[in-house]
Amino acid sequence: MKKGMGAKKPELNELARAEDRISFLYIEHADLSKQDSAVTVTDSKGTVFVPAALISVLMLGPGVNVTHRAMELIGDSAMSVVWVGEYGVRQYAHGRALNHSSKFIESQARLVSNTRSRLSVARKMYEMRFPNENFSHLTMEQLRGKEGARIRKVYQDESRRTGVAWKKRQYRVDDFNSATPINQALTEAHQALYGLCYSVIVALGASPALGFIHTGHDLSFVYDFADLYKAKYSIPIAFDMVAKYGDDDIADRTRRAMRDAFHQGKLIKQMVKDLKTLLKITDDYDEVSVVMSLWDERKGLQKYGVQYHEFGDAK
């Protein structure tokens, strides 16, 4: 190792598992660099050190400058990085995943490519939201109707609970500040939830694009997955923040409240469990165990790293 190069690149089995990581960290108007195994974050208030292997997703907002060394460490630590716009409203790009196995995405592709299995997974997602109801006979149209009624009731119940006036969900992607305080808080809360869902999905090697309910977008499955948790996390927290603070720095307060709720509720651990259930991954699956194989249409999986000769040509 050359002098001054810092800590060695960690082996895959040395990295923290997805469910054991801290949820997310949002940074804006700061400079990011590297010192040993930490990302340094420097702004007008000073410098803090972020342990790269323990963060699930790093959200980089406006005014962030990142050195090549910092990105090298982030990549080696398999931290998901999302470059976002002001208040996290837009997502511009993302980084790599923790898991190098294709098991999740192969299962996801198989399930989403068959109408019967796709509907089965979609029904399972609704069952997670309505634990005491049977959805085995409902069509997607009927499922959408039940979900729409449920979410309307959630908004109305939270409005009565907190005293925050509610009319409807309304916002403009290009003008965050034109929305009412409750719509600003909901936008910020949902974006934080999307970021965490995205991080868990890609960390385990699934595809954020292959949705079972939403479709046609590169984050379709993120929206599917996030809908499982909005009624418990982003919606009530948004109403709580507006009830407590009005429009005073509502975006930052909501984001920090979501971060704390993710940690206290151990949401990453729950997300990992739910994702395995939805994609039918067995409990004995090890996210850091990767086996490369070669596919064969007749013989099944064959060993990788073996020199094969065409039949009849072996000497």
Side-chain angles (χ1 to χ4, degrees), residues 28-31 41-47:
E28 63 179 30
H29 303 293
D31 295 330
V41 182
T42 304
D43 63 8
S44 59
K45 298 178 181 179
T47 299

Side-chain angles (χ1 to χ4, degrees), residues 77-221:
S77 302
M79 183 196 304
S80 294
V81 183
V82 184
W83 283 264
V84 297
E86 191 173 17
Y87 305 111
V89 173
R90 293 176 183 268
Q91 176 182 319
Y92 297 114
H94 59 266
R96 65 181 293 182
L98 170 64
N99 192 2
H100 293 184
S101 169
S102 63
K103 189 166 187 175
F104 273 80
I105 197 169
E106 287 180 1
S107 180
Q108 182 182 10
R110 182 169 56 252
L111 291 168
V112 81
S113 300
N114 177 277
T115 300
R116 183 174 298 177
S117 62
R118 182 172 185 169
L119 180 57
S120 175
V121 174
R123 285 170 173 162
K124 183 64 178 178
M125 298 182 90
Y126 284 107
E127 287 175 3
M128 289 179 172
R129 285 170 259 183
F130 300 84
N132 299 318
E133 297 189 34
N134 180 10
F135 291 91
S136 60
H137 62 291
L138 297 186
T139 65
M140 285 301 301
E141 183 178 10
Q142 293 170 324
L143 291 169
R144 288 195 301 271
K146 288 184 71 67
E147 173 65 1
R150 182 186 79 110
I151 287 297
R152 283 194 297 273
K153 185 176 184 303
V154 170
Y155 283 131
Q156 292 165 359
D157 289 347
E158 291 301 324
S159 177
R160 284 192 292 269
R161 180 181 68 84
T162 61
V164 174
W166 173 254
K167 292 183 179 180
K168 62 180 179 178
R169 182 77 175 108
Q170 189 174 29
Y171 68 99
R172 288 175 54 185
V173 173
D174 59 344
D175 190 359
F176 178 85
N177 292 315
S178 68
T180 61
I182 183 56
N183 274 292
Q184 289 182 12
L186 284 166
T187 295
E188 190 66 41
H190 289 337
Q191 288 298 327
L193 182 59
Y194 293 150
L196 186 61
C197 289
Y198 170 85
S199 176
V200 171
I201 288 169
V202 299
L204 293 179
S207 168
L210 296 181
F212 293 87
I213 299 170
H214 296 84
T215 190
H217 192 277
D218 63 340
L219 298 177
S220 293
F221 190 48

Side-chain angles (χ1 to χ4, degrees), residues 37-58:
S37 294
V39 175
T40 61
V41 182
T42 304
D43 63 8
S44 59
K45 298 178 181 179
T47 299
V48 296
F49 295 82
V50 178
L54 295 181
I55 301 295
S56 181
V57 57
L58 184 64

Side-chain angles (χ1 to χ4, degrees), residues 19-35:
E19 62 193 61
D20 296 327
R21 294 187 174 211
I22 300 169
S23 58
F24 74 90
L25 179 65
Y26 174 83
I27 299 172
E28 63 179 30
H29 303 293
D31 295 330
L32 273 63
S33 190
K34 169 191 174 182
Q35 182 171 324

Side-chain angles (χ1 to χ4, degrees), residues 288-302:
V288 300
S289 178
V290 180
V291 178
M292 177 83 77
S293 301
L294 300 177
W295 178 81
D296 186 281
E297 83 282 13
R298 294 181 179 179
K299 298 180 179 180
L301 299 181
Q302 300 294 298

Side-chain angles (χ1 to χ4, degrees), residues 15-24 53-57 78 80 98-99 104 196 199-205 225 262-277 281-288:
L15 297 176
R17 298 170 65 91
E19 62 193 61
D20 296 327
R21 294 187 174 211
I22 300 169
S23 58
F24 74 90
L54 295 181
I55 301 295
S56 181
V57 57
S80 294
L98 170 64
N99 192 2
F104 273 80
L196 186 61
S199 176
V200 171
I201 288 169
V202 299
L204 293 179
F225 202 49
F262 292 161
H263 177 68
Q264 294 165 6
K266 298 181 179 179
L267 184 55
I268 294 180
K269 188 180 290 291
Q270 183 63 49
M271 284 182 171
V272 170
K273 178 181 177 181
D274 291 342
L275 192 60
K276 288 180 178 179
T277 298
I281 304 298
T282 58
D283 288 338
D284 60 354
Y285 170 73
D286 184 356
E287 71 186 45
V288 300

